[in-house]
Amino acid sequence: MSPKQRRGAETAERLLDAALTVYSEAGEQGVTVSALTRTSGVSLGSLYHHFGSVDGLMNALVVRWLGRLLEHLGGALAEPRGARAGIESIVHAYLSFVRDHPDEARLLHSAYADRLGMEQARQLRDAQEARLSPLTRWLEGYVAAGEIADLPGPVLEALVLGPVIGFARGWLAGVSGVAPDEAARLLPDRIWRSLEP
């Protein structure tokens, strides 16, 4: 990487880090050009050069952390032996990510990320396909073995991740009196029952 490319990458990183900081401190409404340039120390021109707009920067931030969450989930599937153990691993991995990265998780579970997901669902899915593939292949393998109900992939994903995402949203919003570790203990068995053939 040339020195110019390295500086460009460092500038983009500073802007992404600043966007998360500003979002965490001030919410979506606080993510303004002036807040981003002040927090990052990067010029307005650099922001537009690297991301095209504030929305472009925020989209890149969501995609970055969605990718990291999916990588974390994929890693959780590398070790378990059996379908039920895999469900436990996925739930534990998701909720440990949320617990350990609350600011990032708030962004991923935000109305902003929901809007992005609805507007650009196909592009996001395509961009994250490599990270989604381990979960899809894992589920398909256990469906083929008869250990998980033979349901369409999107339905299986909803049964596995839907309850976890629902809990995470409540916990991140401060309306859940249950800690992520407790939910990680309780949810896998309930999810497993919905997946049994």
Side-chain angles (χ1 to χ4, degrees), residues 43 103 106 128 143 152 182 195-196:
S43 72
D103 292 336
R106 259 185 216 91
Q128 299 297 336
V143 167
E182 179 68 3
L195 297 172
E196 288 183 299

Side-chain angles (χ1 to χ4, degrees), residues 119-132:
E119 293 166 4
Q120 299 180 24
R122 174 62 60 194
Q123 298 95 313
L124 280 172
R125 181 110 188 160
D126 290 348
Q128 299 297 336
E129 190 60 41
R131 292 179 177 115
L132 281 167

Side-chain angles (χ1 to χ4, degrees), residues 65-134:
W65 283 100
L66 177 59
R68 290 180 181 175
L69 171 59
L70 292 173
E71 284 176 7
H72 189 67
L73 294 179
L77 292 175
E79 297 177 23
R81 303 280 187 253
R84 190 172 187 146
I87 296 302
E88 288 178 19
S89 251
I90 291 168
V91 172
H92 285 259
Y94 197 107
L95 293 178
S96 70
F97 182 93
V98 167
R99 181 196 63 224
D100 296 344
H101 303 281
D103 292 336
E104 295 84 348
R106 259 185 216 91
L107 174 65
L108 290 177
H109 295 85
S110 70
Y112 180 87
D114 287 347
R115 282 193 310 276
L116 178 64
M118 294 298 287
E119 293 166 4
Q120 299 180 24
R122 174 62 60 194
Q123 298 95 313
L124 280 172
R125 181 110 188 160
D126 290 348
Q128 299 297 336
E129 190 60 41
R131 292 179 177 115
L132 281 167
S133 292

Side-chain angles (χ1 to χ4, degrees), residues 142-195:
Y142 284 107
V143 167
E147 293 184 46
I148 290 179
D150 188 5
L151 298 168
V155 173
L156 289 173
E157 287 178 23
L159 289 172
V160 173
L161 295 176
V164 184
I165 292 169
F167 170 81
R169 285 179 184 273
W171 183 75
L172 290 163
V175 297
S176 173
V178 177
D181 291 343
E182 179 68 3
R185 188 181 67 74
L186 297 171
L187 282 173
D189 183 57
R190 304 297 175 176
I191 293 170
W192 175 250
R193 290 183 204 178
S194 72
L195 297 172

